[in-house]
Amino acid sequence: MGLGSSWRVVYESYKKIVKFYERANLLVTFGNVDRWRREAIGLFYQLDGKNPLRVLDAGAGPGNMARHIRGVKYVVALDATAEMLRANDVADDKVVGLFEYMPFRSRCFDVVLAGYSLHAAVDFEKAVAEFSRVAEYQVAVSIGKPDNIIARGLLYFYTRYILPRLACIVAPRGVCDEYGKIFVIVKSQMPNSLVKRTIEKYATSLVFKTRGLGGVYMYVAKSRR
Ligand SMILES: C[S@@+](CC[C@H](N)C(=O)[O-])C[C@H]1O[C@@H](n2cnc3c(N)ncnc32)[C@H](O)[C@@H]1O
């Protein structure tokens, strides 16, 4: 499962929102957007302990995920949208490309990071298989879909009726309208339990957690050789 043909719509959105992106994200997640990125990376440090040297930031956008990796590092930012990469001041190298067809040799990274990007995969399983091929560890935080039916209903309501209005407080009309598409994204996701099972086909899941009623999941996994 994945966004399939809706992906074009989402891709166009990224081009438009880049300027107001983090400000709107902060509001619609009630201040949690970066805390959850840091939490996912913190989980990785707790499990592995050492600073990764070779880092791939997948769906890097402005680099908000790799920013939290400490110490000396070599960061490659991969993104399908050149406009988002242009705003990236963290990466040593920038590559326009897709998760599903990564232009990298196997195991050339210590860790692949994916901050709020996996939900936009055209083919989720292929993306995770590629993450497992190119890096030893994967650390992701992403929009999810709760397994619990009540939580799912609440999330649908929030993303359909409230979230786009909140985004409009900090972003101009043409931009905040794009946040209306988050409802489409949430609906198109597989449930979080199936996300975990799919990851486990290619990697050993070390930790998998949900936040915000299950509207966000984060995981750390060690790829299988
Ligand atoms: C919401 S932004 C996240 C940016 C950043 N990682 C963060 O933590 O804020 C999602 C990014 O993923 C990229 N993206 C979405 N689907 C992709 C795919 N299949 N392959 C590569 N990049 C993709 C988009 O272009 C966009 O820049």
Side-chain angles (χ1 to χ4, degrees):
M1 207 189 279
L3 276 175
S5 57
S6 330
W7 192 80
R8 279 274 135 224
V9 179
V10 175
Y11 173 85
E12 288 304 320
S13 300
Y14 289 130
K15 286 202 223 171
K16 292 184 198 158
I17 64 174
V18 63
K19 236 170 111 189
F20 302 89
Y21 171 73
E22 193 65 357
R23 214 187 304 164
N25 290 347
L26 196 67
L27 191 62
V28 303
T29 62
F30 305 106
N32 283 303
V33 64
D34 203 46
R35 179 175 309 155
W36 289 334
R37 287 191 195 98
R38 279 185 273 123
E39 186 178 355
I41 289 178
L43 290 169
F44 166 69
Y45 279 124
Q46 276 170 28
L47 291 162
D48 184 61
K50 50 182 197 272
N51 282 333
L53 196 59
R54 301 163 305 166
V55 179
L56 173 65
D57 195 354
N64 299 336
M65 212 42 192
R67 219 177 281 287
H68 298 302
I69 295 284
R70 303 189 290 252
V72 180
K73 59 200 184 256
Y74 168 69
V75 178
V76 176
L78 174 97
D79 204 296
T81 317
E83 284 78 0
M84 288 293 265
L85 277 183
R86 225 164 268 144
N88 190 313
D89 58 358
V90 182
D92 298 287
D93 275 316
K94 302 179 188 182
V95 178
V96 175
L98 289 176
F99 304 149
E100 294 82 358
Y101 303 94
M102 289 210 183
F104 306 117
R105 281 199 299 271
S106 299
R107 284 305 165 98
C108 62
F109 296 102
D110 298 315
V111 62
V112 54
L113 309 174
Y116 304 105
S117 56
L118 247 184
H119 54 254
V122 185
D123 181 331
F124 180 83
E125 181 160 350
K126 213 164 177 178
V128 169
E130 278 291 83
F131 283 7
S132 304
R133 183 182 66 77
V134 301
E136 185 181 1
Y137 286 96
Q138 40 195 290
V139 180
V141 53
S142 174
I143 295 177
K145 179 150 94 182
D147 287 283
N148 180 289
I149 295 300
I150 296 168
R152 192 180 293 179
L154 287 171
L155 189 69
Y156 282 178
F157 183 81
Y158 173 68
T159 52
R160 184 161 197 177
Y161 299 108
I162 301 174
L163 183 150
R165 289 180 173 84
L166 285 179
C168 284
I169 297 173
V170 290
R173 188 92 234 170
V175 174
C176 68
D177 283 349
E178 300 302 315
Y179 278 81
K181 291 172 191 160
I182 291 185
F183 172 63
V184 179
I185 293 176
V186 171
K187 276 193 90 176
S188 72
Q189 300 305 299
M190 49 173 94
N192 293 336
S193 57
L194 188 54
V195 165
K196 183 167 184 277
R197 281 207 299 281
T198 307
I199 295 159
E200 284 169 346
K201 283 191 191 174
Y202 302 92
T204 305
S205 166
L206 302 174
V207 51
F208 187 98
K209 290 185 175 197
T210 60
R211 291 287 176 263
L213 284 177
V216 165
Y217 64 82
M218 59 181 79
Y219 76 86
V220 179
K222 189 168 195 288
S223 309
R224 286 205 200 94
R225 289 199 173 269

